[in-house]
Each structure stands twice: as structure tokens, then as C-alpha cells.
Amino acid sequence: MTTALRIPPLRTIVAICALGGSALLMTACSTTTGSQAEAAEAAPTTASATDTASPSPTASLTKDQMQRRDLVSKTKVSWDKAAGTAVKEVSGGKLMGIELKAVSQENSASPGTASPGTASPGTASPGTASPGTASPGTASPSSPAPAPSPGSPEWQAKVAAADGTVHMVDVDAANGKVFRNQTQSGQSADDRRKVADRLRKATQSPAQAVKTATGKKKGTVTGAMLDENDGKLVWAVDVVDTKDWKKTTYDVDAASGKIAREHTDQD
């Protein structure tokens, strides 16, 4: 009669392996522990969240770049449409500058005051003028729209009347409505003459300057200001690259239309 060989349980084998035993049991120990090691190597390794997490897309952006991204993403009205609306608020108005800004607490809280001879958007005759010059005699008095909440995007425009009087016109960048039109305080007769002279010398329109700048770099225009650079009258055009949110300013000669200077902000 053949007696069946009884194999002790694994726990018993491990104990015997630890104490040392017969050659047969030592071979079993080696086989068992080797199998366990192979199983451990074959088991998938679970990576921690720290190992697999990708860097935040905003981690490399500066504070200024994040502000530009937030403002541009909320802006629904382009610079030229806002400029066209602003110049129609002033009889015979001409654009001196426009810039995309965040509405301040002060501008949001204080009511907008319309100056005599201003008009609300849509009351002027259909525009045939470029975004920088208003059709004469189309403006009429009106009340400004409610101001947007602080932090919202707005277009701050400087518009000069025919006599050189400068008006500050704020346009909601989300809906295109004017919510403030105020005459710049402290303007003397000499100041007005200088403004009128500047505009007379600027034979290049803001639209032409923007076309020159965007022909050099694609992006979103966030400003166009009539300024001076080394004694030359220029349109300073800001173009924001929506890939890295850096801003490049092009100084376009207001007489010749040539780029006099180019500068990219690294902030």
C-alpha cells in the first residue's frame, strides 16, 4: 500500500526555512521565495499623484501676463469698434488713444457724466469714417450706460474735439456701450492748440498704424496711443500674443507709417 506524501502548509515551510532543514525542504524554500519575488516584480507599480501630475498651465505666467489673459478673454468688443463708438460721442472728434484696462473701483462706483454735445452709441448716423474720426454733426446729448463691475474690461479712449478739447470716453469692452464721457480737466487754450496741432501732423490714422503693427506680429490689439518718441510723433500700438500673453509695443511713425521702435515686455 502506497502512502501519500503530505506537504506541510506554506507557513510551516517558511518556519522550517528560517531554522534550516532537510535538502528537500530547503529546495522548496528556494522555489517558494523565488516565486514570491517574481510575483512582486510582475505586480504593477502604482504611481503617486505627485509623480503623474502635469504642471499647471498658469505656473509659468507672470502676474501681468495672467491679467492680460483674463482681460482679453472677457473682451467681446474689438479696439476699432470701441474707438468708433468713442469718437461718435464727441462732435467732430478724433481719436488720440485707446487702451484696454480693468474697471477700477472708483470708475465703477462713480456715475458717468455726459459732457454737452455727446451722444449714446447708435444715435449717430451709420459710420463711413474710419475708427479714429467722427462724422461731423452727428452727436446729440444722452445719458451714459451703467458702469460695469470692478475688474471688468473697458476701453479707455481719449478723443479730441475739433478745437482740441480732450474728452475721456470709457466703453464697456463686453457690450460696447459708453458708460462715461468727461472733459479732461485743466486744459488751457495752449493745451488745446497743441492737441489740435498734433492731430494735424498725424497723417497716419490709428487704423493704419494698427495694420502696420499686426502685419509684423499677429495677436490681439490692446492699445493705440498717439505719443512722441525721440521727438517724433508716433502711434504706440500694443499687440498681445495669445499664446504666451506677452505684449509687444510698436512705435509707428505717425507721418511715414514706418516702424520706429519695437519692444516686447517680458513681464
Side-chain angles (χ1 to χ4, degrees):
M1 181 176 181
T2 304
T3 303
L5 178 63
R6 296 183 63 188
I7 299 175
L10 178 60
R11 184 179 301 174
T12 304
I13 293 176
V14 171
I16 295 173
C17 290
L19 296 175
S22 65
L24 177 61
L25 289 178
M26 289 301 292
T27 301
C29 290
S30 175
T31 303
T32 303
T33 54
S35 299
Q36 290 174 336
E38 291 174 0
E41 289 178 358
T45 302
T46 303
S48 63
T50 304
D51 295 333
T52 58
S54 58
S56 169
T58 61
S60 60
L61 296 181
T62 66
K63 182 179 179 181
D64 288 343
Q65 289 167 349
M66 285 190 286
Q67 287 176 341
R68 291 185 198 119
R69 179 198 61 187
D70 293 343
L71 279 179
V72 170
S73 63
K74 295 175 184 176
T75 297
K76 307 302 180 186
V77 179
S78 61
W79 83 271
D80 52 336
K81 291 186 181 298
T85 297
V87 297
K88 289 176 184 177
E89 291 289 305
V90 181
S91 181
K94 288 188 176 182
L95 186 71
M96 293 188 65
I98 189 166
E99 189 174 9
L100 185 64
K101 293 278 192 178
V103 176
S104 66
Q105 184 72 40
E106 180 183 0
N107 281 357
S108 179
S110 60
T113 303
S115 304
T118 62
S120 61
T123 59
S125 59
T128 55
S130 64
T133 306
S135 301
T138 58
S140 61
S142 68
S143 297
S149 59
S152 301
E154 66 158 312
W155 289 104
Q156 292 183 353
K158 290 178 68 174
V159 182
D163 65 351
T165 300
V166 177
H167 295 250
M168 310 304 294
V169 184
D170 295 342
V171 181
D172 190 322
N175 59 29
K177 295 182 179 180
V178 173
F179 63 92
R180 181 172 287 99
N181 180 354
Q182 296 178 328
T183 303
Q184 184 172 301
S185 61
Q187 298 177 76
S188 65
D190 188 50
D191 291 334
R192 292 193 291 270
R193 280 194 297 269
K194 288 180 179 179
V195 167
D197 185 55
R198 262 187 162 193
L199 288 170
R200 180 181 57 80
K201 291 178 180 178
T203 54
Q204 288 283 309
S205 70
Q208 288 173 313
V210 165
K211 185 177 180 180
T212 299
T214 52
K216 186 81 171 178
K217 182 182 182 68
K218 301 300 180 184
T220 299
V221 176
T222 59
M225 304 292 294
L226 189 61
D227 202 355
E228 285 190 10
N229 179 16
D230 294 332
K232 291 184 178 181
L233 196 61
V234 298
W235 285 104
V237 181
D238 294 333
V239 182
V240 172
D241 189 332
T242 54
K243 294 180 181 178
D244 58 16
W245 301 104
K246 292 182 180 179
K247 179 182 72 175
T248 300
T249 300
Y250 294 93
D251 288 349
V252 181
D253 193 303
S256 68
K258 295 181 180 179
I259 295 177
R261 177 178 174 269
E262 175 183 340
H263 174 72
T264 300
D265 285 346
Q266 298 302 320
D267 297 335

